[in-house]
Amino acid sequence: MREITYLEAVREAMSIEMRKNDDVFLMGEDIGVYGGAFGVSRGMIEEFGPERIRNTPISEAGIAGAAVGSALTGMRPIMELQFSDFITIALDQIVNQAAKLRYMYGGKGKVPMVVRTPSGSGTGAAAQHSQSLEAWVTHIPGLKVVQPSTAYDAKGLLKAAMDDDNPVIFYEHKLLYKTSSEVPEEEYSIPLGKAEVKREGTDITIVATAIMVHKALEAAAELEKEGISVEVVDPRTLVPLDTETIIESVAKTGHLVVVHEAVKRGGFGGEIASMIAESEAFDYLDAPIKRLGGVETPIPYNPELEKAAIPQVPDIVNAVKEALTKKAVAK
């Protein structure tokens, strides 16, 4: 074990797989000598060459189409979108082709492709380069959706995504690239659809994704000083979703706060809340579920307004306290 950054963990996972399997290749805008918009693939072209680290034109629809076609013919492409916002241009190929072809071919064809893309705000990139749109793609049968929050999870989940015979959308939060954690040098895999309890607690459950996992852990540390024990659950993959781990946690604590960076309305937190409402954990709730998400505005360019647009640690602390003071309707 050694400590490496999230960015290095993603690069390492791709490099290990590419050394093993000549069918794996990376494609995207400026990923070669430049190393990608955030430097994730820096140095890879020197090892694997331009045939396997393929710079593309500025055409997200074209990149996605090439990825679908190459996957259908036996390759295992990793396509990089410079910003997750640009998936809007590639959605026809991803939603109407990649997600559906295995079903439409009766299982005789498969589309083993990974769509890697940096998401979220916090870098001053403004409204068209800072959105969190993961809930969109969770609505599409045939797509798997991954959101790792640590370097360890990023390497293990990307390995699993590259091994999968279905299209996987792999979200990498920009602010996590420089964070670090202990990561094994050797190859390992984390199964898609397995959540992790990042912190155990007894009073309330926070289900958080991506950068919000770290903010939830900070909030939990502050709340502990006031005698409030918070359990933090990181789903890690949204599709498939590990409902069992979340239900077990809520049944234990009796309270639930769901927090994500995406706009609250239509965000994936609503899916988690409704899942709990439809499960046996509902009977264990001692108070209404609290959802926390971004405000209904495009992400501002101004740094202070940008922070105000998404949940911060004090917001999570307040949401927990509010959830603990409310009472469920008497049965």
Side-chain angles (χ1 to χ4, degrees):
M1 298 283 278
R2 76 262 124 98
E3 195 166 287
I4 62 173
T5 66
Y6 188 109
L7 183 152
E8 290 168 331
V10 172
R11 182 193 299 147
E12 193 168 273
M14 291 191 294
S15 297
I16 289 173
E17 199 68 14
M18 290 180 70
R19 291 177 195 130
K20 286 173 48 188
N21 187 348
D22 290 341
D23 291 334
V24 179
F25 70 99
L26 177 65
M27 62 192 302
E29 298 162 7
D30 293 326
I31 62 166
V33 174
Y34 187 66
F38 293 89
V40 177
S41 58
R42 192 164 293 146
M44 291 182 68
I45 194 168
E46 283 79 9
E47 178 177 358
F48 300 105
E51 289 298 311
R52 299 184 67 197
I53 306 295
R54 301 185 69 94
N55 278 325
T56 67
I58 303 175
S59 173
E60 285 75 18
I63 300 168
V68 174
S70 61
L72 280 170
T73 58
M75 303 295 286
R76 303 188 78 88
I78 306 164
M79 60 169 281
E80 178 182 302
L81 295 173
Q82 282 193 336
F83 292 88
S84 64
D85 315 66
F86 301 167
I87 200 171
T88 54
I89 306 167
L91 276 177
D92 179 45
Q93 295 290 347
I94 292 171
V95 170
N96 290 322
Q97 306 301 330
K100 297 185 170 56
L101 288 175
R102 193 170 190 183
Y103 170 79
M104 294 174 72
Y105 292 165
K108 294 180 180 179
K110 57 186 180 181
V111 190
M113 58 180 275
V114 177
V115 182
R116 286 185 42 252
T117 185
S119 66
S121 64
T123 62
Q128 297 169 328
H129 299 74
S130 305
Q131 298 170 89
S132 299
L133 303 176
E134 64 275 358
W136 287 13
V137 287
T138 64
H139 190 67
I140 307 302
L143 298 179
K144 298 184 179 183
V145 184
V146 182
Q147 271 195 310
S149 66
T150 68
Y152 178 87
D153 291 347
K155 181 177 176 180
L157 288 167
L158 185 52
K159 161 66 177 169
M162 291 185 292
D163 286 344
D164 204 290
D165 284 336
N166 301 285
V168 180
I169 316 297
F170 196 90
Y171 286 102
E172 303 160 10
H173 197 287
K174 304 180 190 80
L175 293 185
L176 293 177
Y177 278 138
K178 293 182 179 180
T179 63
S180 59
S181 62
E182 288 191 341
V183 178
E185 290 190 37
E186 66 271 12
E187 179 182 335
Y188 65 94
S189 182
I190 297 173
L192 303 185
K194 184 59 181 173
E196 183 179 32
V197 177
K198 297 293 189 184
R199 177 189 174 115
E200 293 192 358
T202 56
D203 295 330
I204 190 166
T205 298
I206 299 179
V207 176
T209 56
I211 190 71
M212 290 300 153
V213 174
H214 298 263
K215 295 183 186 295
L217 290 170
E218 288 184 49
E222 289 191 21
L223 289 160
E224 186 178 35
K225 299 173 185 175
E226 302 181 38
I228 299 172
S229 177
V230 178
E231 182 150 295
V232 178
V233 179
D234 178 2
R236 301 198 291 194
T237 63
L238 304 185
V239 181
L241 179 67
D242 182 358
T243 57
E244 182 179 347
T245 296
I246 298 172
I247 289 170
E248 286 178 358
S249 179
V250 174
K252 177 174 72 172
T253 66
H255 296 85
L256 174 62
V257 171
V258 186
V259 56
H260 51 65
E261 181 173 330
V263 172
K264 177 181 174 181
R265 182 183 63 196
F268 194 74
E271 181 64 27
I272 294 173
S274 62
M275 180 273 292
I276 290 296
E278 293 174 345
S279 77
E280 61 272 24
F282 180 76
D283 287 335
Y284 292 92
L285 284 173
D286 295 323
I289 297 168
K290 179 74 176 176
R291 286 194 295 143
L292 194 59
V295 299
E296 294 180 16
T297 180
I299 297 294
Y301 173 70
N302 177 280
E304 293 306 313
L305 293 178
E306 183 178 30
K307 289 180 183 177
I310 66 168
Q312 302 296 335
V313 173
D315 302 314
I316 301 173
V317 169
N318 291 336
V320 167
K321 291 180 177 179
E322 183 179 341
L324 288 172
T325 55
K326 287 188 174 181
K327 298 295 182 183
V329 176
K331 298 181 178 68

